[in-house]
Amino acid sequence: MTPEILSPAFGLVFDPYVLWVVAGSALFGLFVGAIPGLSATMATALLVPATFFMPPIPAIASMVTATAMAIFAGDIPSCLLRMPGTPASAAYTDEAYALTKKGQGELSLGAGLVFSVIGGLFGTFILILCAPLLAEFALRFSSFEYFWLTLLGLSCAVFIASGDKLKGVISLLIGLLVATVGLDNPAGHPRFTFGLPELMGGAELIPIMVGMFAVSEVMRSSISVAAPLETAQTAIGNVFRGMWGLLKKYPLQTLRGSVLGTLVGALPGAGADIAAWMSYAMSKKFSKEPEKFGTGHIEGIVESGAANNSALAGAWIPAMVFGIPGDSITAIVIGVLYMKNLNPGPTLFVNNAASVYAVFLLFILANLLMLPFGWAAIKSFKQVLRLPRKALLPCILVFCILGAFAINNSVVGIAMMLAFGILAWLMEENGIPVAPAILGMVLGTLLEEHFITSMIKSDGNPLAFFDRPIAGTLAATMIALIVIPTLARLLVRKRPA
Amino acid sequence: MTAIKRRHLAGLAAGFTLAAAGTAHAAWPERPITLIVPWGAGGGTDATARIIGSLLEKELKQPVNVVNRTGGSGVVGHQAIASAAPDGYTIGMATVEIGMMHWQGLTALKGSSYTPIALVNADPAGLQVRADSSYKSARDLVDAIKANPGKLKSSGTGQGGIWHLAIAGMLRSLAVDPAASPWVPSNGAAPGLQDLVAGGIEIVPCSLPEARSLIDAGKVRSLAVMDAKPAALYPNVPTLKAATGSDWTLAAWRGIVAPKGLPKDVSDRLLAALEKVHKSAEFNDFMKQRGFGVTWMPPVEFAAFMEKSSNDLGAVMKAVGIVK
Amino acid sequence: MKIGDTVLGALFALLGAIVLWHVRTFPVIPGQKFGAALFPGVIAAGLVVCGILLSVRGLRQADGGGRTIAFDEWARDPVVVVRFLSVPAGLLFYILTSNFLGFHIAASVAMLGWLLVFGVRLLPAVALAICFPALMHLAFYKLLRVPLPWGLLEKVVFPS
């Protein structure tokens, strides 16, 4: 990065108009992200018409800022109301809510904010330092590699489910089964649609998540409306207190979450939500105190909170270098880049170096701005909790209705939310964890798609799954993950005997 | 199942028509208009709809809200357009899939289930291979497919999707078995292209704008375009006719439609506004930047075009074996 | 509601069996040996196996609790039961009526119902049930352009 490129880049970014756009988009992103049912992708899509009438740099600035804020803001309702604001927060919604119930909402929100910023900055530095290199690597992933990656992700279910393993597997299977609904499968055959055209689109994830987390929680709370809501009593003061201590206590976790997040983000087709699930599971797997996970333990939030924001920057790597979207957000961004004559591709870095570095600067700026803006968002959102519980629950339900409706503007979304809310309530009443089911829904479609396409490509020869170098490595990792703990357990059992 | 669904839908449609009848349309539009897109935010159809929406908004002096109704390979969104009230406050962007879904038995909807307004865009299929592959021309490629049936795999959309039909129709027109290049279903052109670069498959017959960034990056090469004339985006890519002698052409198209039974005065007003948008510099600049082809067909021609498109596609789908 | 493991396991096994029976009708991909039935079939088989395992585990439970369906303490208090059932009932009301009544009326009615059942006094309940949906309308309809249905209010807001 030479000064000749940097100074025009600074000039492009630190322009009053651009800074106004950044501030406006930050507020917009926080608002959209904090509303369940409106995802970070939605925030970007809603910005597209506005960017038609902007010069290139402010147009990109608005998207970068809004998405970074939205991914963080998803943590706020997930922590305070057990409602993931965006799918990227779902992995640690239960953990964050458990912390809030213990009266440590401050710690949970602060960690969400601070480690989002750290993850986002880390992802940005990787984007700056080795975008072309990483993009080349990501391009070598074919369906064989994705199959193993998805399977690795699914094995996370075993780690995230605490308690009864058999019930955890059943929950995962239910999620996988729900993922098979609809027409969008490799065979193009409408499955389990009961003749409803709305179900052809498959089970929409956001209404289901709002139902499984929030509606089931409201049902449980309705039994004891008279009792004070634990969250309302939590005074949320300085959310930054104790963050330095956390960083010193969990440096490895922060780094691991950021690295994994960037890598998963850089892979086309796997975004912030999958990154968060995988990091959360990894955090539990390698933790010194895995038994504390699920009861309100901050370690997993640190790691996966960093992961989902770093994935955001990671997704820009293949997008900028090859015009291949790393996730649904960058799919929209690529369209805008074309519109603004910043055609993505290796030539972008040569012909438009100043603009590329301006984008990098915008990433850094957006992540740093997250600290004051995020702080203000937490402050204002927690006002909601001042309402007495009997008045708050109906408000949450209306909010749920809107979230489930907004994703596809269809009342079917609300019906799905209700059905899955009741299902989740029954599941939790009977000790069946909900998180593996959600993971199954996130990954089920991908697993099937990559398995079937791989089988077609290899003319039905399963050995093809091990043939290619990266696929072979992933397969070995997967097998090691299963075999080593089993072997270790056998050895431990034999020794005392 | 289909019978029940049809009856149900017919009932719904009748209900809506009755509800809308008797409303005066003298001053249309008096309130915001919804423009339904059957595909997800971020795709080419979404982008085209959003630019048209924002320009129509200026023209009609009422907000035009673009709403994505995704899923089921476009069935859900196309259904939502057809079953809305024909009052001009819900319009939609129909895509080439409307002529395909009914052959597969997914829906009863066809082009004739709508009030056509205008065709605005068409992108012909291309024929892309990896840049370092040994096939230098479409002829080479077709010969290789013919010599090794089943070996060269193609991808770029779902099973029976538009690009699947593009290559199947091309092979059929050259007297090669369409199954000689097996189709690997993918979730759109981008994952298909990625798999092409990763070496998982050999051919992606998607449109040129979809392959543009990888062609420019020197990772992918286009051998031919399935159109009557070369594309403005890459004038050096020959037509399929020039490369192989085949007359086969196929394009993915997008057009604005309204629910069936839209009053004539509303449809005329909408058509006039849309024509202005279509001629505007903003629209043409946008389409040029994205590399999308600009076309214009008023209602009567558009209806005939949809009919022909559906029949052509149906013939290929029968040959591939996906007609139910 | 606590369902014993034996009953629960049997239910899951039954679900798996129904799915297995249903997927037999799914077609294969032209030119391939497998198709739409493969994945749901494998998942359903997994459900059958896990369901049976859970059932057997429930049978072995010493206290026989695996075989019963029990309600919690709160289910004996009719007031609490009404409060609990009001949540799904209110949502169902909104789902069924929102297209006809419109967002404002349906959401306000549902909210008023919940507020009263949960024990909020009438006046504040009415005020909140009117104001909160109106506020949400501003945020979602005006700012985020979510097409919330107007329903009955359409004629009032857009007289033609």
Side-chain angles (χ1 to χ4, degrees), chain A residues 45 48-49 52-53 136 138-143 146 183-184 186-187 190 195 197-198 200-201 268 322-325 331-332 335 338-339 341 343-344 346 408-410 449 453 456-457 459 468, chain B residues 1 5 9 41-42 47 50-51 54 58 67-73 75-76 79 106 150 153 159 183-185 187 190 194-195 197-201 212-214 216-217 219 286 289-290 324:
Chain A
V48 170
F52 281 149
F53 308 104
E136 278 290 346
L139 268 190
R140 277 198 231 131
F141 271 60
S142 173
S143 59
Y146 278 113
L183 183 64
D184 297 315
E198 299 276 0
M200 288 227 193
F322 292 114
I324 286 188
I332 303 176
Y338 268 118
M339 217 161 65
N341 242 343
N343 299 9
N408 217 350
N409 305 303
S410 156
E449 192 182 306
T453 53
I456 296 179
K457 279 190 241 170
D459 299 313
R468 301 160 52 95
Chain B
M1 179 183 105
K5 193 165 65 196
L9 293 176
R50 281 182 197 273
I51 182 77
S54 67
K58 283 190 190 161
V67 169
N68 303 94
R69 291 293 297 270
T70 59
S73 301
V75 174
V76 175
Q79 183 65 63
L106 296 174
K153 316 271 195 296
Q159 184 74 24
W183 188 257
V184 178
N187 191 11
Q194 202 221 314
D195 215 353
V197 176
I201 50 156
R212 184 180 179 189
S213 60
L214 283 170
D216 289 347
K219 293 270 168 192
F286 169 82
Q289 298 285 8
R290 294 292 301 258
K324 299 254 159 70

Side-chain angles (χ1 to χ4, degrees), chain A residues 242-313:
Chain A
M243 288 306 130
W244 181 242
L246 276 183
L247 186 61
K248 274 198 295 186
K249 192 170 172 199
Y250 299 121
L252 186 65
Q253 282 80 345
T254 314
L255 185 69
R256 207 164 50 198
S258 306
V259 172
L260 186 78
T262 314
L263 286 178
V264 171
L267 290 172
D273 46 347
I274 295 178
W277 283 105
M278 291 184 82
S279 316
Y280 183 76
M282 187 140 93
S283 184
K284 184 172 177 188
K285 172 88 184 148
F286 291 110
S287 171
K288 287 192 196 93
E289 346 170 69
E291 71 285 350
K292 284 195 187 164
F293 277 69
T295 60
H297 185 52
I298 197 74
E299 193 177 345
I301 299 179
V302 166
E303 186 155 347
S304 41
N308 60 14
N309 271 72
S310 62
L312 215 52

Side-chain angles (χ1 to χ4, degrees), chain C residues 53-115:
Chain C
L53 284 177
L54 191 63
S55 261
V56 171
R57 203 177 71 183
L59 281 178
R60 285 200 196 138
Q61 248 173 332
D63 59 357
R67 268 167 269 182
T68 53
I69 298 178
F71 284 92
D72 297 310
E73 195 64 26
W74 60 264
R76 295 204 195 115
D77 183 347
V79 178
V80 182
V81 172
V82 167
R83 271 202 315 242
F84 177 78
L85 290 179
S86 78
V87 175
L91 289 172
L92 198 64
F93 167 80
Y94 182 88
I95 293 166
L96 295 177
T97 63
S98 65
N99 259 336
F100 174 69
L101 295 177
F103 166 74
H104 305 80
I105 300 178
S108 293
V109 171
M111 236 185 124
L112 186 65
W114 283 321
L115 287 167

Side-chain angles (χ1 to χ4, degrees), chain B residues 223-247:
Chain B
L223 299 178
V225 55
M226 301 183 196
D227 199 9
K229 53 181 196 314
L233 188 59
Y234 294 108
N236 293 332
V237 176
T239 62
L240 190 67
K241 173 112 178 144
T244 65
S246 159
D247 279 322

